[in-house]
Amino acid sequence: MGRIIELSDLVKDIDKQLEIIRRGTAEIIPEDELVKKLERSIKEDRPLKVKLGMDPTAPDIHLGHTVVLHKMRQLQELGHDVVLILGDFTGRIGDPSGRSETRKQLTDEEIQHNVATYKEQAGKIIDLNQARLVYNSAWLKKLNFADVIALAAKYTVARMLERDDFERRYKEGIPIGIHEFLYPLMQGYDSVALKADLELGGTDQKFNLMVGRDLQREFGQEPQVAITMPILEGLDGVQKMSKSLGNYVGISEPPKEIYGKAMSISDELIVRYFQLVTPVSNEEVDKIQDNLASGSHHPRDVKMQLARELVTMYYGKDAAIDAEQEFVSVFQQGNLPEEIPDVQIPAEETSTEGTIWLPKLLALIGLANSTSAGKRFVKQGAVKIDGEKMTDSEYRVVVNSGMIIQVGKRKFARLIL
């Protein structure tokens, strides 16, 4: 899978460790403490305990979620002990980080379903056979009401309101549930329960990670070092990768979809994606950056390398070869994809003349989220019927069985009556 190094005993070269740990990180808080922990770890031949918490609030992981998983894998390859916490208890509240409103609380059934998919998907990046996988209900469920009060007494409301999202909601009069204040305390208590040396998280998790440091001090432990990773921009090149924004690459999506989406990222993000969501070595990333800067490699060719790397990581080399062949055939040679989904159109959806408004058809067959989105696609020239570009957003389609509808470069459907 093109890993940086294979899983091994503790790497004794501190400069090598620091080089890999620093790769792509936003902050190491504080770095001097990390150096001391690494020096002691090497001297005592004792791996550091690395914590990453993931709340199963959704069933699917996208590339944005994998940024911290790749950092965890790198630490695993350096010989450290990694602990993946599946927040089956904290998931009942849901992390308020970056939220403008209170999260909907999940049911036990939703949490357990999501936990199962997280384990499978996280296992595509980290080696679960050489990692500890724990559920924070193991210790949080045991806390009684007196324990919760004692834990809450260790933090003030003023400190909680230092969080950007809480402060903003408070000023705007948007309700903040008391249970949301408990979330960072519970995540911080996870660090106490594990006696974590390092904790990983996105930059949006910084407050929670610092609470972990504070609580460890309160419980007489040496505070963990917090390592934050950048938030990955989505396919639009601007906003955070998000399923709700539609700018995401899901790691469980079909190989050809992953390949095609990777080819659509902006040229400016190529190196960042290599650095944050692939196991390609630092030396190779530097070479890629130099080749792009000098113009010796075309961005399209480097994106194809990125797309191959991503598909290989999750589906293997053969799937990557197949995805690339189809991409070249469809997008560079203008051929139709080998597999086009059949979509049946109920007779009652068409008029007596057998026609249907084009934007409505696009929404009906799942190539647009709504008729308004369908109209926008048509006006943008992104819609083709049997290879012919459509530009009239009021056009009524005479529906025929076998007709092929295309939106953009990757979305196709064959109509069945």
Side-chain angles (χ1 to χ4, degrees):
M1 294 174 67
R3 296 293 180 189
I4 296 170
I5 53 176
E6 296 302 318
L7 295 186
S8 63
D9 295 331
L10 188 67
V11 172
K12 299 300 177 67
D13 184 338
I14 190 168
D15 291 331
K16 179 67 174 177
Q17 287 211 44
L18 285 170
E19 176 193 351
I20 292 175
I21 292 171
R22 287 171 178 150
R23 167 178 167 163
T25 56
E27 281 189 280
I28 299 174
I29 312 169
E31 186 163 331
D32 62 330
E33 287 186 21
L34 171 64
V35 172
K36 289 176 184 176
K37 285 179 183 284
L38 289 174
E39 288 173 343
R40 186 173 64 220
S41 166
I42 291 171
K43 182 179 179 181
E44 299 175 0
D45 195 25
R46 181 186 67 82
L48 297 178
K49 189 177 292 181
V50 183
K51 167 199 171 191
L52 171 63
M54 296 183 72
D55 281 347
T57 51
D60 297 313
I61 292 176
H62 57 60
L63 287 185
H65 298 126
T66 71
V67 173
V68 287
L69 286 169
H70 279 285
K71 182 57 63 180
M72 191 176 215
R73 171 70 193 211
Q74 290 165 17
L75 285 157
Q76 192 176 37
E77 290 169 338
L78 291 172
H80 296 293
D81 292 335
V82 300
V83 185
L84 179 62
I85 300 177
L86 290 171
D88 61 330
F89 198 90
T90 42
R92 296 166 187 264
I93 293 178
D95 186 2
S97 298
R99 301 290 293 187
S100 59
E101 59 185 15
T102 302
R103 279 186 184 271
K104 170 184 172 289
Q105 293 188 47
L106 300 181
T107 66
D108 286 343
E109 292 75 17
E110 289 172 322
I111 288 172
Q112 291 309 313
H113 170 72
N114 294 348
V115 160
T117 61
Y118 269 41
K119 285 168 59 177
E120 177 190 354
Q121 294 170 62
K124 295 180 179 181
I125 299 171
I126 63 173
D127 186 342
L128 293 181
N129 292 322
Q130 299 193 50
R132 281 180 61 198
L133 193 151
V134 297
Y135 300 89
N136 60 13
S137 60
W139 49 84
L140 292 176
K141 233 178 184 180
K142 294 176 181 178
L143 299 179
N144 59 36
F145 200 66
D147 296 328
V148 174
I149 291 173
L151 185 61
K154 297 183 184 299
Y155 242 71
T156 67
V157 172
R159 287 293 305 278
M160 285 294 177
L161 289 176
E162 289 175 7
R163 284 183 60 141
D164 292 341
D165 36 33
F166 283 158
E167 181 184 23
R168 183 174 61 253
R169 286 164 62 182
Y170 181 70
K171 287 180 177 177
E172 293 176 4
I174 299 172
I176 303 171
I178 295 296
H179 69 295
E180 293 183 89
F181 281 166
L182 295 178
Y183 184 91
L185 293 176
M186 291 195 298
Q187 183 169 315
Y189 190 77
D190 290 347
S191 296
V192 173
L194 289 175
K195 297 183 173 65
D197 294 306
L198 308 179
E199 183 172 10
L200 304 176
T203 52
D204 58 347
Q205 292 291 308
K206 181 177 177 179
F207 184 90
N208 294 337
L209 273 55
M210 300 307 287
V211 172
R213 280 175 57 83
D214 292 341
L215 288 184
Q216 284 180 307
R217 287 194 197 92
E218 291 282 343
F219 282 87
Q221 296 180 13
E222 181 180 287
Q224 65 189 14
V225 169
I227 299 177
T228 62
M229 299 300 295
I231 302 300
L232 185 69
E233 296 88 348
L235 300 178
D236 57 5
V238 179
Q239 299 193 75
K240 169 183 175 180
M241 184 173 284
S242 165
K243 195 165 185 179
S244 62
L245 294 175
N247 64 351
Y248 71 102
V249 182
I251 70 171
S252 292
E253 291 189 274
K256 293 170 185 177
E257 189 72 8
I258 292 176
Y259 192 100
K261 285 186 173 183
M263 291 301 297
S264 73
I265 69 169
S266 67
D267 294 351
E268 292 74 23
L269 288 177
I270 295 173
V271 172
R272 187 168 173 83
Y273 270 59
F274 266 110
Q275 187 179 58
L276 295 179
V277 296
T278 79
V280 171
S281 68
N282 285 348
E283 293 78 13
E284 181 65 20
V285 172
D286 289 343
K287 190 183 301 183
I288 289 167
Q289 189 166 22
D290 290 343
N291 289 336
L292 285 169
S294 68
S296 63
H297 284 55
H298 194 284
R300 179 202 59 233
D301 298 329
V302 182
K303 269 192 266 193
M304 291 179 78
Q305 181 185 347
L306 172 64
R308 283 195 303 272
E309 189 70 46
L310 291 172
V311 177
T312 299
M313 200 184 330
Y314 299 115
Y315 288 99
K317 188 174 181 180
D318 290 344
I321 292 171
D322 288 345
E324 181 160 292
Q325 288 175 343
E326 172 140 326
F327 180 86
V328 171
S329 173
V330 175
F331 302 114
Q332 293 184 0
Q333 299 173 358
N335 299 318
L336 292 174
E338 292 181 7
E339 298 176 7
I340 298 177
D342 293 334
V343 181
Q344 188 163 15
I345 303 296
E348 60 269 19
E349 295 293 345
T350 62
S351 68
T352 53
E353 294 81 21
T355 66
I356 185 171
W357 182 39
L358 179 53
K360 180 181 179 182
L361 174 64
L362 297 177
L364 192 64
I365 63 178
L367 297 186
N369 293 329
S370 63
T371 56
S372 59
K375 287 184 70 172
R376 187 169 65 252
F377 291 150
V378 176
K379 289 178 179 179
Q380 291 170 349
V383 179
K384 291 182 181 179
I385 298 179
D386 288 336
E388 181 181 349
K389 183 182 290 188
M390 310 303 296
T391 56
D392 181 2
S393 61
E394 298 304 319
Y395 183 75
R396 295 193 66 84
V397 183
V398 179
V399 178
N400 293 310
S401 193
M403 177 181 283
I404 294 177
I405 311 294
Q406 177 182 352
V407 174
K409 294 182 177 180
R410 295 196 308 274
K411 295 181 179 180
F412 293 82
R414 181 183 285 107
L415 304 187
I416 302 295
L417 297 181

